[in-house]
Amino acid sequence: MIDNHMELLDSIQESFKQRLQHLLKEDLRSFRDSRKEVERCREGLESALQHNAELSRKKVQEVQDAANSVQASRKTFRERALEYALQMLDLMEAHASFLEHSQKAMKELERYRKDLATQVAHSVLEAAREQRDLEQKLNNIKDKEVSDEDAVSQSEDLSSEIVIEGYLFKRASNTFKTWSRRWFSIQNNQLVYQKKV
């Protein structure tokens, strides 16, 4: 599930990166070049208009040449301006395409996120169910061990396995506090006094 998630994110990121690189490298560069060309044509038209305005109307040939120059500059400027406007439309279309692709990717990511949330909720429920089952099994095992210990302790009697036995001195509780020798043994981890027969 995590691998599929990482694969989806990588493919979205790669797609965005390719579209954005194309938009920035190709479209914006040609757009800037066209803008520079339009600016150059505009400056040429302004200088032609200024030159035409400065000419004396008595010099017919120069006026005619200046008018032709203005006409050519105006035509070139209009062509470049139209080309620039078309490239601007192309750039806007590329931008719209990028945004549309982004929206589509976000919808896919949202759908994947909802599926993932459903799977996580299902996994949490399964984990809770398994934990409850394990706790019940553990309680059953503990109950069984306790009942086994009771059965073992009830079946054991005083003649169970003796670990150590022998004489010890015991102090009497009378007024003289005398010491008496007595027979003791250790059974079931307890010190037990036995009368020697």
Side-chain angles (χ1 to χ4, degrees):
M1 188 168 62
I2 291 172
D3 291 342
N4 289 340
H5 179 65
M6 294 305 293
E7 189 176 318
L8 176 67
L9 289 178
D10 288 343
S11 66
I12 289 172
Q13 185 178 15
E14 187 64 30
S15 176
F16 280 156
K17 190 169 84 172
Q18 286 175 354
R19 286 187 176 264
L20 200 56
Q21 282 178 346
H22 185 270
L23 181 71
L24 294 175
K25 286 183 178 178
E26 304 288 328
D27 296 336
L28 284 179
R29 188 180 329 143
S30 64
F31 185 68
R32 269 187 307 222
D33 293 343
S34 294
R35 182 178 175 145
K36 287 177 184 176
E37 186 69 27
V38 167
E39 288 295 320
R40 204 174 319 119
C41 289
R42 185 185 58 79
E43 289 171 2
L45 177 61
E46 285 178 358
S47 69
L49 287 171
Q50 186 176 0
H51 179 67
N52 187 31
E54 291 173 353
L55 283 178
S56 170
R57 297 292 166 208
K58 294 178 181 170
K59 299 178 183 176
V60 177
Q61 184 60 35
E62 287 183 13
V63 169
Q64 187 66 29
D65 289 343
N68 289 339
S69 175
V70 166
Q71 196 88 6
S73 296
R74 190 173 284 152
K75 181 179 177 186
T76 305
F77 175 73
R78 286 178 180 165
E79 288 174 357
R80 294 293 178 254
L82 184 60
E83 190 176 304
Y84 178 70
L86 289 175
Q87 282 189 339
M88 186 182 289
L89 287 174
D90 286 343
L91 181 66
M92 290 172 69
E93 186 177 327
H95 189 66
S97 172
F98 175 73
L99 291 177
E100 182 181 334
H101 184 71
S102 301
Q103 184 183 15
K104 182 179 175 186
M106 287 299 139
K107 283 182 180 177
E108 289 177 7
L109 193 60
E110 180 69 20
R111 187 168 46 247
Y112 176 74
R113 189 189 64 78
K114 286 180 180 177
D115 292 344
L116 189 63
T118 304
Q119 290 175 2
V120 166
H122 181 69
S123 298
V124 167
L125 290 175
E126 285 292 321
R129 208 173 290 133
E130 287 179 12
Q131 183 178 2
R132 188 189 66 229
D133 292 345
L134 288 174
E135 287 173 355
Q136 286 178 348
K137 286 180 183 178
L138 181 64
N139 289 335
N140 289 341
I141 290 171
K142 283 182 181 178
D143 290 344
K144 186 176 179 184
E145 285 177 358
V146 168
S147 63
D148 288 346
E149 287 176 4
D150 290 343
V152 168
S153 64
Q154 289 172 0
S155 66
E156 290 179 348
D157 55 358
L158 293 175
S159 65
S160 64
E161 184 179 335
I162 297 174
V163 179
I164 298 175
E165 59 183 354
Y167 286 105
L168 292 174
F169 288 95
K170 180 181 177 192
R171 193 170 189 181
S173 60
N174 58 14
T175 56
F176 299 108
K177 307 264 187 212
T178 59
W179 290 90
S180 304
R181 195 170 103 164
R182 300 282 186 251
W183 183 261
F184 286 93
S185 65
I186 296 179
Q187 296 175 358
N188 296 328
N189 294 328
Q190 291 182 349
L191 186 64
V192 177
Y193 167 69
Q194 294 177 345
K195 290 185 179 180
K196 187 101 174 167
V197 187

